[in-house]
Amino acid sequence: MNKPFAAFSRWLFLLVVSFTAGQSIAQSGLTTTLPVDPKVKIGKLDNGLTFYIRQNKKPEQKVELRLVLNAGSINEDDDQQGLAHMAEHMAFNGTTHFKKNDIVSFLQNIGVGFGNDLNAYTSFDETVYILPIPTDKPGNLEKGFQVLEDWAHNVTYLDDDIHNERPIILEESRMGKGANDRMFKKIYPKLFEGSKYAKRLPIGIDSIIRNFKPDAIRRFYKDWYRPDLMAVIVVGDIEPAKAEQMIRKHFAGMTNPTAPRKREYADVPAYAANDAMIVTDKEATSYAVSINYPAFKDVPSSTVGGYRDHLVKQMFVSLTNQRLQELTQKENPPFIYGSVSFGSYARGYDAFGAFAAAGTGDVNKSLNALVEEIERVKRYGFTAAELERAKKSMQANFERAWNNRDKTESDNYVDEYVNHFLQQEPIPGIDKEYEYVKTLVPGITLEEVNAVSKKFKDDKNRFVYVTGPEPKADTKLPEGKDLLAIIDAKEKADIKPYEEKAIATTLMSTTPKAGKVVSKTKNTVLGTTELKLSNGVTVTLKPTDFKNDQILMGASRPGGKNNYGLADKYNAEYAVQIVSTMGIGDLSPTDLRKVLAGKTATVTPSFSGISEGVRGNSSIKDLETMFQLTYLYFTAPRKDTALFRSYVQRNKSQFANISANPQAVFIDTMYKTLYSNNPLAPVTVPNSAFFDKINLDRSLAIYKERFGDASGMNFAFVGSFREEEIIPFIETYIASLPATGKKFTFVDNKVRPVTGKKELTVNKGKEEKSTILAFYTGEVPYTEDMDLKTQALSEVLNIRIIEELREKVQGIYGGGTFSGLEKYPYTNYSFVLQLPCGPEKVDTLLKAVKKEFADMAAKGPDTSYLNKVKTQWTEQNKVKMKENGTWLDALLDIKFKGDDPDRFINAEKYIKKLTPKDVQQAAKLILDGKNHFYAVQMPENYGTKTAGGDTPKKGF
C-alpha cells in the first residue's frame, strides 16, 4: 500500500470511529449508566467477599494481588486509636501458616522485596495489602494466595508479637514528628470540627500504642476483618478461570460474625462560621496559607453525564492552577507556589480548597493574590483560548493512554479496581473513556467550565489557616480576623478580567539547515543502530515494542560544573534552572506551555558535576516537537531579566529560614565536615545567600558554553519509532546543531571526603528523634564486577538490618544502606548508612550495625541472604529489560562510561555468578577501609539530667 493512500485510509477510519462514537453517545444520552470494562471480571462469593480478575501480560510471569479492606482508622473505638494501622503491621508478624517473619522471608526467596514490592497501607477508611507474585516457578502463586488468605482471617496476634511491634510503630510515629506535624496536629481538629475524622489520624496516639491491652487490637481484627468488607484483586499473567478457582479455594470458607458491627461512615458537617487561625513553630522554615471551603457530599456518578461533569471539573482546576502558576513567574511574585483542588480526606465528601506557599515572604500579599485570582475566575471565568488549550491537553493525554492500552502495567489496573470497590469509581476501561473524551470534550462550553465555581462561590463560612515560623521580634503576623478581612475585602474589590496575550503559534519560525548522517553501523549485541552525523555528533537508535506510543531521548557527554571554579560556583550550579525559568526562543515558560497545549513532548537540560546533556520524551505524533525543543535548548536560551529576578526572589524566600529545620542543619553540618569545609564541595542544602551570588549574564554564558556547542555529544533514542521516520528529524534538528570539534571533558576538582576515622554529633531539634549517618569512602580501581559486588553487599546488609535492628533490637522503623563504585571524576567507592531512630537507641544501634559490618567482612553472608538478593534482582531485571527507560540509561552509560554491553544484555548471568566470597571481598574492601565517618543528630537538650538522675550518652 502506498503511503498517501495509507494515510488517507487511516484518516477515514478515525473519522468513521469518531462519528460512530458520537452517534452512540448522542442516542443513548447522558443518563446512560457507564459500562464496566468487559476485560475485568467482578464477582461476589456467598460470604460477601468481592473479587476482581483481569488477565494482563505486562509484565510477563507476574501477578499483582491485593487484599482490600473497607475499614480503617475511622472504625476504631476510642481505646483503639492507631490500632487499624498496627493491625496492618501485625499481618506480617505471624499467621496460622507463617510464623513471625516467615512471610517476608518466603517472599524474599521468590524475588519479592520487602517495602519496594511487598507493602501495605492504612488510611481513614481502608486498609490495602500489596503483594506482587512472580509466577515463573510452580507453587509461588498458590503460596501467595495462602499469604493473602492468612492476612484476611488467620493473623495470630500472639502477646509477644504485639508487644514487640509496639516500639516499631512508635518509631514510625517518631519519624513523622517535627514542626509540620506539630502544626498539623493543631489545625486538623479544626479542619474537621464536629466530625470523627478530627480524632482518627491513622498513625494514632503514642500513649495508646504503648499501653493498649492486646485484646483491643484483637477486637478490631475480629470486628472489621471479615469477608463482606473485603475485596481480592488479581491482575496479571494468569488465566481468569485459574484466578477465580484460587479465590474460591482460599476465601469461600471465610465467615462473617454472627452479629456484625455496622460499617458506618463519618459525617463531615459544613463549617458553622467563618474562622481562621495562625499556627507557628520555631522549627518551621516557611509560611503557607490555606483556604478551605465547606465539604459537601459527593458520590462518584455512574452515568455518562456524570463522567462529563468530572471532565469539566478537571478542566476548571487545571485552568485555575495555570493562572496561579503565571503569578509565580512575575517579578516580585506574591508566592512561591499556588494551587487549587477538589478533594477530601473524608469518604463520600468533596471540598474546594486553595493553597499558597509564601516562603518567608509577606503572608498578606500571598493571601491577597490567591483570593484575587479565585475571585477573578468566579466573576469572569476563563477565556475561549484557555479552554481550547485545556481541551487539547486532555484529549492528548487520553489518546496516548489509549495508544498504549495493550502495554499497560498490571499495577495501574489494580489501583482502578481498588477505587471501584471502595468508592464505586467507574471503570469503563480506556476504550470507552477515550470514546467519551473524543465525543464529549469538544462540546464542553466555556459557560459550563466557569459554572464549576458555583460549587463554592456562595460559601461564606470558610476555614483559613496560616502555618510558618515564629515571627522575629521586629515583625508581626496577621491575626485570624485579619485573614478573614483580606478575603472579605478582596471579594468586594474592583478586579479586572484576565488578559489573554497574543503569542506565537509555533515553536520555530524557520527550520534549521539540515545536516547529514555520514555513517550508519549496526550493533548486533544491543540491537541498535549507531549514527555519526556531519557535525560529529553520534546517535544510538533502539526501536522497541515495549510501549505503542512512547519515545524517550537522552544525550550526554563529559563536561559539567567541575569545569568552573569558586568564582562561578553558583553561576554554574543554577545555570540550567535559570534558563528553564526564562524560556527558549521567543517564548517564556508561560508562552511555551500555551504553544505546547495538546502536545505530548518535553525536554529538560541536565548539568551534573561531570557531564551535560538533555532528557526528553514524546508521543509518536509529537516527535518533531521534541526535536524542536531540543534544538532550541541548545541554540536559543532566552534572556529575561524580570523572570530571572522572580527566580531569585522565590528561592531566597524559600530558603531564607532553612536553618530553623533541625534536619537541614544536621545535613549541612555533616556534609561540610565530610568535605572538610571545601568551598567547592557539592551544594546539598541551599541557602538564600547563594542566589545573591548569581550573575545572570555569567550564568547564561556558562550555559551557552556547555550547550551552545554540541561537539562530542552522544544522543540515544529508545521507543516506538521507525528508523526511517526518525532519521530525517535527526538530520534536521541534531545534525544542524553547532559543533566546532572542540574537546569537552570533565574535571577532577580534587574534592574528597574526609580521611581517617571521624565522628560528629550535632545537637539540634526539640523532638526526641535522632538520625545516624555513616560514610565509608576510599579510592579503588573501578570495575563493573566490583561495582556489582558492592551493591550486593548493600542489599544483603539491608535484609540483615531489618531482621536485627528493626525486628530484634526494635530500634528503627526503616533504614538501610546503599553502595557503589564510581569511575569518574576519579575511581572511588562510597557506602552510606542511614538509620532514623530515637536518641536512647543510638548507642545500641551503632554497636549492632558495626557488628553486622564486622561479621560481613570476617565471614561473608550466609548463602540464603545472598540468594534472596540474587532472586530479587533477577525478577526486577526481567521487568526492567522491557522498559524503555532502562535501555536509555544503559545506552548512555555504555557510551559515557564505556560499560560492557554484555553485562547489561546478560545481567542475569552475572547475578547468578555472585558468591558469598564475592560479597565478603566487597565488605573487606569497603568496611575494613581506612575512611569511616559517622555523624549523629541528637535532640538539642539531650544529655541533660533525666528524672532518674542518669545522664544519657550523646551517640558515641
Side-chain angles (χ1 to χ4, degrees), residues 666-717:
F666 170 58
I667 296 297
D668 190 47
T669 305
M670 183 270 297
Y671 268 102
K672 285 176 180 175
T673 306
L674 177 64
Y675 290 109
S676 303
N677 289 307
N678 189 324
L680 288 175
V683 172
T684 51
V685 179
N687 186 303
S688 62
F690 296 169
F691 299 92
D692 286 326
K693 298 177 182 179
I694 301 172
N695 178 283
L696 173 57
D697 289 333
R698 179 57 185 147
S699 189
L700 191 55
I702 289 172
Y703 181 90
K704 290 178 178 179
E705 287 171 13
R706 307 321 301 181
F707 292 90
D709 187 339
S711 301
M713 195 71 71
N714 176 68
F715 281 80
F717 294 88

Side-chain angles (χ1 to χ4, degrees), residues 538-552:
T538 58
V539 179
T540 303
L541 300 178
K542 176 68 179 179
T544 71
D545 60 0
F546 306 147
K547 292 283 187 181
N548 296 329
D549 192 7
Q550 183 188 64
I551 301 170
L552 303 184

Side-chain angles (χ1 to χ4, degrees), residues 59 62 874-883 886:
K62 191 173 181 181
T874 300
E875 291 299 329
Q876 291 172 346
N877 188 67
K878 290 176 183 177
V879 175
K880 288 181 178 179
M881 289 302 288
K882 294 191 175 182
E883 292 176 346
T886 301

Side-chain angles (χ1 to χ4, degrees), residues 854-922:
D855 288 348
M856 198 63 65
K859 299 180 289 188
D862 186 273
T863 303
S864 64
Y865 290 98
L866 180 57
N867 285 342
K868 289 177 180 179
V869 172
K870 290 163 67 173
T871 305
Q872 185 178 336
W873 279 358
T874 300
E875 291 299 329
Q876 291 172 346
N877 188 67
K878 290 176 183 177
V879 175
K880 288 181 178 179
M881 289 302 288
K882 294 191 175 182
E883 292 176 346
N884 290 324
T886 301
W887 276 87
L888 180 65
D889 290 341
L891 294 177
L892 292 174
D893 281 348
I894 287 167
K895 286 287 186 181
F896 186 85
K897 298 195 301 184
D899 287 352
D900 180 2
D902 187 66
R903 295 190 72 94
F904 171 64
I905 294 294
N906 297 305
E908 289 186 26
K909 175 178 72 175
Y910 295 94
I911 292 169
K912 288 177 181 177
K913 279 182 171 181
L914 283 170
T915 67
K917 285 288 186 186
D918 291 330
V919 177
Q920 185 182 11
Q921 179 191 1

